[in-house]
Amino acid sequence: MADESVKSEASAQQEKEDGDNGSSQKTESREGENQTVSKRQRKKLLKQQKWEEETDLRKQKRKEKKQQRRQQRHDHHHHHDHQEEEEGEGEAEAQNARKRLRREVTPSSLRLVVDCSFDNLMLKKDVRKLHRQVQRCYAENRRALHPVQFHLTSLGGQLKQSMDEKDKGWVNWKDITITTEHYSEVVAQEELVYLTSDSPNVLEELDHKKAYVIGGLVDHNHHKGITFERAKELGIDHAQLPLSNFVKMNSRKVLAVNHVFEIVLTYLEKSSWQEAFFTVLPQRKGAVAVSQDGTAVQGKEEEDSDSNPDTPDQTEKRTST
């Protein structure tokens, strides 16, 4: 009995010790868990603390960015306004220049007549060349400093057909008199002067009371002297431009309609025949200035008529002047 009692006490003691050991292990486990949670919390707290500490810094950065964007917008608007102001000033200056130019334009009372009564003497391709020459005359007169009173007479036949087909806007042309009538029916005979290179009379100056007639003929030298003969038949005055007095030519003195027209316009502006000739005549004519003793002294620089869309093809264009 005594032995059993001792064993029972020993067993109870062992169970107590085992219980104590288990309780101790559980306590240690909980302490470990508490210790782990505590580390995470500490990290979270540190992060939160850092975030709060940097709040002012972030606000300052946002404020600086906002001011920077505002400044950029201001600079852009200022630059744009300045650019618009400059453009506005430039446009105003251009408008003022155009107004000054318009004021400086002084129409001349001189009349230039393109005689289109040779329609039946030309092939269709030549009529088209004449059409381009007439277009050039119109364009040059519109932008001339002293535009002349432009008359287009005896319009009909192939030329009118070409204009209707290729340039329907001709019916709206301004500052030009276009008629189917012959120039002798439009202008008094005593006021007419036919410009023809076959005339023995040399034109020294332009008379603003006169109407100077240019023969609208692309003849390729097939109808030499025809305009001179027509002038004599009608009993009207005739003359040639003073080309030989100022320019030595290496070809016959027959110029395109638009060349004669432009020479007169240039003379009205510059009051110099020589300057007018050398401004207008193409290089292929071999124009060379003539000195007082009659010797050639200066060659004209080459002009590329194809570079100007208003310039008709000068390769074969001719008209008696």
Side-chain angles (χ1 to χ4, degrees), residues 295-312:
T295 59
V297 296
Q298 177 184 352
K300 185 182 186 303
E301 295 181 359
E302 183 174 356
E303 291 181 355
D304 183 6
S305 62
D306 292 335
S307 64
N308 190 326
D310 289 334
T311 306

Side-chain angles (χ1 to χ4, degrees), residues 252-263:
R252 183 167 171 254
K253 296 184 296 181
V254 179
L255 306 178
V257 171
N258 58 290
H259 287 158
V260 179
F261 200 101
E262 291 173 55
I263 286 170

